[in-house]
């Protein structure tokens, strides 16, 4: 196997983006594993890997990766939204709603606001 360099990591990251867009999340995860092994602090790579885990229905791995991203970037609205979707798919609606609301508060995009259900009576 060829030696990994910063350039190959960039190429692997970009290729992983294309694989995820082409509905090959497992292929994306494989490429991102080596990028993250070399650059564990790279939040963009971790967020992309979390998305790939989610798309591959590897929900526990997605959850852990989204949580790690949020530890580093607590104001990342997309990561809150994606973590909420993960909680939603694992039947944890209270945790999901909390993160939907955080996402909407950070970035009031229509899909975030709709998921946050701020107008629902009776919840705090």
């Amino acid at each position: 196997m060829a030696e990994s360099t910063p350039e190959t990591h960039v190429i692997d990251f970009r290729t992983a983006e294309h694989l995820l867009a082409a509905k090959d999340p497992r292929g994306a995860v494989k490429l991102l594993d080596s990028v993250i092994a070399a650059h564990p602090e790279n939040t963009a790579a971790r967020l992309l890997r979390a998305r790939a885990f989610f798309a591959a229905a590897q929900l526990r791995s997605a959850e852990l990766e989204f949580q790690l991203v949020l530890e580093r970037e607590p104001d990342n609205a997309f990561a809150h939204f994606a973590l909420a979707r993960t909680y939603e798919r694992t039947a944890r609606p209270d945790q999901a709603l909390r993160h939907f609301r955080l996402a909407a508060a950070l970035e009031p995009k229509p899909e975030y606001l709709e998921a946050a259900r701020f107008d629902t009576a009776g919840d705090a």
Side-chain angles (χ1 to χ4, degrees):
M1 187 168 144
E3 184 180 331
S4 290
T5 65
E7 292 79 17
T8 60
H9 295 145
V10 171
I11 292 166
D12 286 348
F13 179 87
R14 296 293 176 215
T15 303
E17 287 179 317
H18 291 289
L19 287 172
L20 187 56
K23 308 238 184 290
D24 181 6
R26 292 180 196 283
V29 167
K30 275 186 190 172
L31 285 176
L32 291 166
D33 284 346
S34 64
V35 173
I36 291 169
H39 305 281
E41 74 293 342
N42 187 316
T43 305
R46 288 194 176 276
L47 188 57
L48 186 59
R49 186 165 72 170
R51 291 176 48 218
F53 281 138
F54 183 86
Q58 295 176 14
L59 301 178
R60 181 66 182 142
S61 295
E63 176 185 342
L64 293 171
E65 207 68 64
F66 284 129
Q67 287 172 340
L68 197 131
V69 167
L70 287 169
E71 284 174 19
R72 295 174 182 183
E73 295 181 3
D75 61 346
N76 187 318
F78 175 78
H80 280 289
F81 185 77
L83 180 59
R85 285 280 183 235
T86 305
Y87 286 143
E88 193 174 59
R89 284 181 65 183
T90 56
R92 293 184 279 172
D94 293 342
Q95 287 174 284
L97 185 59
R98 176 177 179 270
H99 285 278
F100 281 138
R101 289 183 173 180
L102 285 166
L106 289 164
E107 192 174 325
K109 293 170 86 170
E111 64 267 31
Y112 295 179
L113 291 168
E114 182 181 337
R117 301 191 319 263
F118 284 118
D119 60 342
T120 305
D123 5 313

